[in-house]
Amino acid sequence: RIGGRIARAELAPLPLPLLRRALWRLLRQGSGHAPSQVQVEQIADALARGRVARFNLRGAWHAWLRADELQLLPPSAALGPREPRAGSTAAQPGLPFPLARGARFVPEAQWALAVPGEVVLPDGRVLRATRVEPGAYAAHSGDADAVAELDAEGLPAELCVRWPRRGDRFHGLGAPGHKSLARFLSGLGVSREDRAGVPLVCADGEILWVVGLRPCERHKLRRSTRARLRLELAPGAPSAG
């Protein structure tokens, strides 16, 4: 088996000694190389702090700590040539989801997203929200970019979904502070014309998830997290008019 992955929510509640052992076993069995103590401590610390990061491992392997999972990546030679994302080019990394070309994204438009519930966007994509209670685990989507999990404590039972607006600011997971949303998207290589079609999930005026790209820092999963808010983007057919 090449690589492996485990949901971040399964690791976060573990006591530190047990977490160290779990990480060592995952990295050892997944890569065939025993990780150093320093590598295990770095990943454990990033988990505890709610960070996203990529770690270099022995044998040219990488551990990618994402917003919702820890993924073990083999050397690029073992993976073979990579397929580009739909809609991406060599100069433009593109988004983790295709945009309907010609779709019109009105900044003033917004939709209420109940928890649990779903919203069908005008371009056909579907955003779903569920509350995952302590000790329960939701089925994991095959596309990690399409899922985000946050600490549900203090979040309302109804969220807001909308498109980016002028003046939006965002404090992304792992970032030292807020920055303009336009600057955040630009830093990820999202073209100016594509930025208007990136959905945002918000609560009380705060951006919780830049869909498909990054959840926020303030509501990140912690070891003390009990109930989790699970957000998921699913493809769909564009609505007729």
Side-chain angles (χ1 to χ4, degrees):
R1 179 184 174 188
I2 294 179
R5 63 180 67 197
I6 185 170
R8 190 168 183 147
E10 295 184 38
L11 295 170
L14 297 178
L16 185 56
L18 186 56
L19 175 61
R20 289 178 179 136
R21 291 197 294 271
L23 288 172
W24 189 92
R25 178 173 294 182
L26 174 69
L27 300 178
R28 172 67 178 84
Q29 293 180 347
S31 70
H33 301 275
S36 68
Q37 181 180 353
V38 171
Q39 289 169 333
V40 171
E41 289 295 336
Q42 287 175 336
I43 297 174
D45 182 68
L47 272 165
R49 295 174 182 271
R51 303 294 188 190
V52 292
R54 189 188 291 258
F55 303 90
N56 297 324
L57 304 175
R58 291 170 176 167
W61 283 72
H62 295 84
W64 192 1
L65 186 57
R66 308 181 69 161
D68 68 329
E69 69 175 4
L70 175 64
Q71 185 176 4
L72 195 56
L73 302 174
S76 56
L79 288 173
R82 298 182 64 182
E83 294 292 330
R85 291 187 187 273
S88 66
T89 66
Q92 165 61 34
L95 294 164
F97 47 79
L99 289 179
R101 295 304 169 189
R104 190 164 170 265
F105 305 105
V106 181
E108 294 75 22
Q110 64 181 48
W111 302 268
L113 174 59
V115 183
E118 67 177 39
V119 165
V120 180
L121 299 175
D123 63 357
R125 289 174 291 171
V126 181
L127 269 168
R128 298 188 178 98
T130 54
R131 182 181 171 94
V132 184
E133 297 299 334
Y137 292 95
H140 192 273
S141 166
D143 185 357
D145 291 322
V147 178
E149 288 195 349
L150 299 168
D151 191 323
E153 180 69 26
L155 291 176
E158 185 175 278
L159 309 174
C160 169
V161 177
R162 62 174 177 84
W163 307 119
R165 296 171 182 168
R166 184 184 297 274
D168 277 337
R169 295 185 65 78
F170 176 58
H171 187 179
L173 181 64
H178 287 79
K179 65 169 60 175
S180 73
L181 180 63
R183 183 179 166 199
F184 168 77
L185 293 173
S186 175
L188 293 180
V190 180
S191 67
R192 187 182 298 273
E193 56 270 24
D194 284 346
R195 292 174 204 168
V198 178
L200 306 175
V201 179
C202 308
D204 300 324
E206 177 185 11
I207 299 174
L208 301 180
W209 187 29
V210 180
V211 176
L213 296 172
R214 192 76 53 83
C216 72
E217 170 73 15
R218 189 159 78 97
H219 297 283
K220 66 186 178 184
L221 297 179
R222 296 174 170 83
R223 289 183 182 172
S224 59
T225 294
R226 293 183 57 77
R228 311 191 310 275
L229 170 67
R230 181 180 175 88
L231 301 168
E232 185 167 4
L233 177 72
S239 57

